[in-house]
Amino acid sequence: MHEMALAESILNIVEETARNQAATRVTGLRLEIGELANVESEALQFCLDVVLRGSLADGAQVEILTIPGQGQCLECGAIVRLSTLYDPCPQCDGYPVRPAGGQEMRVKDIRVE
Amino acid sequence: MCATCGCGINETGSHSHGHDHPHDHAAEGRLISIERDILAKNAGFAAGNRRLFTERGVFALNLVSSPGSGKTTLLAQTVQTLREEFPVAVIGGDQQTARDAERIQAAGAPAVQINTGKGCHLDAHGVGHALEQLPIPEGGVLFIENVGNLVCPADFDLGEADKVVVLSVTEGEDKPLKYANIFSAARLMLLNKTDLLPYVDFEVERCLEYARRVNPDIQILQLSARTGDGMVAWLDWVRQGQQAVLAQQISRLEAELTSARARLAVSGR
Ligand SMILES: Nc1nc2c(ncn2[C@@H]2O[C@H](COP(=O)(O)OP(=O)(O)O)[C@@H](O)[C@H]2O)c(=O)[nH]1
Ligand SMILES: [Mg+2]
Ligand SMILES: [Zn+2]
């Protein structure tokens, strides 16, 4: 389960930033996860619960913001919403749709004291 | 209202939340914008590996698949032929054993095993250290056999030129849809164990259509590492990649040479 590795990377980024800002505690953490990214948000939440325990960010409120998937249909050329990598184009029902957004995984910001 | 947790208390001063921690409403803290890729650190190590590959003219491939699709069998056959033509080396990721590396060494190529323990994927940092234990296949090909897993390796760039996803015909033709991220990240799909097609229900055309649906640019080759059927096309694909890397290395070195000569001409004036 690579969500554990992702959670550890997130903690690294959070702790590094907090230290650089001389913060003593992190109370909030916001992530931006693309709808088409290779992540289970629930699994990530669970892993963060485990990984943040005992850290500077113990008890921080974690918010995962979903960035909608987008793609360009190679049949009709339309830019369309895409919620999986294999869905047909909602406009022409064609395939394939090349993803063009919604695969990102970012730490957006933290709230510190 | 408390902006930290959304609780309804609006007086200032400290209070305690049942679910977490006491905090001070007079100081709600600062918001620090980060906007950084979660895997930025891995990306940094991957860039380091990629720089090394570029400098030494190494064509690096990251082979991903579920366990048992035939990666090690395929690589043993592959290095046996290609080692006569240019340097080759193999890095293998395995949760426990060094058996795969032994199979590759028996086929005549240097190999090192990274034991990931419970880790379900290789990362660029681990590959960087493995590279210290190997003769770098200068001007040749490095094959990285990832941990058998169709989910996790998709996210971790190792610095490779291309990901190659291996799928065997015993796994079912719907795998490209079920594990769309990894098929989407791959340049080439190898459909292995075609010798078993008469014995399994596997609709090749449907599988290929699924793969192209999630990755319109994917290249596909069918082969059997057991019988050698289709191996020639795969070996040619690898040779072409290696030649392309060499061509890039030559133009890079020529550009360096030109600018060094220009500098010499200026300073000698
Ligand atoms: N029938 C058949 N069996 C194969 C083929 N390639 C590999 N195998 C067998 O599949 C099993 C797993 O192969 P291995 O190379 O260890 O897979 P890996 O886990 O992906 O490295 C072994 O028993 C191989 O002999 C093939 O093309 N045809
Ligand atoms: Mg193997
Ligand atoms: Zn369309």
Side-chain angles (χ1 to χ4, degrees), chain A residues 38 61 98 107-108 110 112, chain B residues 4 30 32 34 151 217:
Chain A
N38 191 26
Q61 194 196 343
R98 190 196 299 276
V107 180
K108 180 176 171 57
I110 54 176
V112 302
Chain B
T4 303
R30 293 173 287 144
I32 302 172
I34 299 180
V151 181
D217 305 316

Side-chain angles (χ1 to χ4, degrees), chain A residues 1-2 6 9 13 17 21 32 36 38 59 61 74 86 95-96 98 105-112, chain B residues 4 20-21 28-32 34-38 120 151-152 154-155 177 181 212-213 216-217:
Chain A
M1 184 162 76
H2 68 310
L6 297 180
S9 302
I13 294 172
T17 311
Q21 300 280 330
E32 292 174 318
L36 303 176
N38 191 26
Q61 194 196 343
L74 298 190
Y86 50 81
Y95 294 117
R98 190 196 299 276
M105 300 191 284
R106 278 195 301 263
V107 180
K108 180 176 171 57
D109 54 31
I110 54 176
R111 187 169 284 281
V112 302
Chain B
T4 303
D20 57 5
H21 49 268
E28 284 298 359
R30 293 173 287 144
L31 192 69
I32 302 172
I34 299 180
E35 295 293 349
R36 197 188 314 166
D37 195 306
I38 290 174
C120 49
V151 181
C152 312
D155 283 346
L177 299 188
N181 287 90
R212 293 192 180 106
R213 197 185 289 186
D217 305 316

Side-chain angles (χ1 to χ4, degrees), chain B residues 73-92:
Chain B
T73 309
L74 174 73
L75 286 179
Q77 302 288 343
T78 302
V79 299
Q80 210 158 24
T81 304
L82 293 183
R83 74 192 180 97
E84 312 280 346
E85 303 171 28
F86 42 71
V88 291
V90 176
I91 294 174

Side-chain angles (χ1 to χ4, degrees), chain B residues 65-74 100 103 145 148 166 192-196 223-228:
Chain B
S65 81
S66 53
S69 69
K71 294 182 302 302
T72 308
T73 309
L74 174 73
D100 282 1
R103 286 163 67 190
E145 176 179 344
V166 183
N192 189 31
K193 307 196 188 180
T194 52
D195 57 295
L196 297 180
L223 53 77
S224 164
R226 154 97 22 108
T227 66

Side-chain angles (χ1 to χ4, degrees), chain B residues 90-94 97-102 111-115 133:
Chain B
V90 176
I91 294 174
D94 207 321
T97 69
R99 296 179 52 125
D100 282 1
E102 288 158 13
V112 46
Q113 194 87 24
I114 303 177
N115 282 340
Q133 302 170 42

